[in-house]
Amino acid sequence: MKYWMAFTVSLLFLIQSCKKERFYSSDAFYRSYKTWLDFKAANNDSYSYTQTWSSWTGFSSSMVVQVNNGKVTNRTYKSMGPDEQDRTKIKLYAKWTENEETLNTHKGYDASLTLDEIYDKAKHVWLRMNEDENLIFFEANNKGMISTCGYFPKNCADDCFTGVTITEIKN
């Protein structure tokens, strides 16, 4: 009887442990996600974050996304890089702002996401890529919240990162 009880408890423990979803860096993801949920609740789901991109060629961009009550309400974008005439100078190539009425109207740019949507995409897309073919990244350097998440194909030389880089999250 004692062995049957031990077997049953072990089986229940095994079944319970299998329920936890596993993917690349899942423990770090879930710690970060909990930190995010606490931040979100403390700020009534209103915050801004800065998303950046940079290239080895010297070009870079940043987008500040404003979220109020769980809805993207504004975004400001700028891109810069070496001046084509004088490569020692940095030139502003684009700068624009969108509000609720004009949100996501600039062609060639991804739609703005809330951090809830970014965490969802991280969990279901970026952190589930094939590890044999890709270098996968997850970092939480914004006071425990997501800062880098995505992947880089192992057979790519440069500028192949797919994912997100967030340099700042604030209320």
Side-chain angles (χ1 to χ4, degrees):
M1 181 71 162
K2 162 166 70 171
Y3 295 109
W4 179 250
M5 180 67 91
F7 173 76
T8 304
V9 169
S10 296
L11 184 61
L12 288 173
F13 180 78
L14 180 63
I15 290 169
Q16 183 63 29
S17 67
C18 290
K19 287 184 179 180
K20 187 172 182 185
E21 208 172 358
R22 301 296 300 169
F23 47 86
Y24 181 85
S25 201
S26 61
D27 292 340
F29 172 87
Y30 284 120
R31 279 191 306 276
S32 175
Y33 186 64
K34 174 162 182 355
T35 302
W36 156 243
L37 292 177
D38 292 345
F39 177 87
K40 174 180 154 178
N43 294 289
N44 298 316
D45 204 3
S46 297
Y47 56 90
S48 68
Y49 69 89
T50 303
Q51 184 175 345
T52 61
W53 172 86
S54 62
S55 169
W56 65 274
T57 62
F59 290 90
S60 65
S61 66
S62 67
M63 184 176 301
V64 178
V65 177
Q66 180 67 46
V67 177
N68 292 310
N69 298 314
K71 181 181 173 191
V72 176
T73 57
N74 182 288
R75 68 179 182 170
T76 301
Y77 174 85
K78 70 177 178 179
S79 67
M80 60 189 92
D83 186 301
E84 294 170 0
Q85 304 304 316
D86 181 355
R87 308 277 293 163
T88 63
K89 295 181 181 176
I90 300 296
K91 178 179 175 182
L92 181 66
Y93 283 94
K95 185 176 181 179
W96 46 262
T97 298
E98 296 174 337
N99 58 31
E100 284 185 270
E101 291 78 38
T102 61
L103 199 59
N104 300 319
T105 56
H106 281 83
K107 302 280 187 220
Y109 298 89
D110 291 338
S112 294
L113 301 175
T114 64
L115 285 178
D116 281 325
E117 293 168 318
I118 288 174
Y119 270 100
D120 186 64
K121 195 167 184 177
K123 179 180 178 182
H124 293 102
V125 179
W126 300 321
L127 295 176
R128 294 189 182 272
M129 298 308 295
N130 182 327
E131 290 182 62
D132 293 332
E133 298 173 7
N134 300 285
L135 299 171
I136 303 172
F137 299 91
F138 181 82
E139 295 177 346
N141 296 327
N142 287 311
K143 298 178 185 168
M145 293 178 284
I146 193 168
S147 57
T148 303
C149 184
Y151 62 93
F152 190 100
K154 288 181 179 177
N155 65 354
C156 182
D158 39 58
D159 290 345
C160 300
F161 180 76
T162 299
V164 67
T165 302
I166 297 174
T167 56
E168 182 178 44
I169 300 172
K170 62 183 183 176
N171 52 353

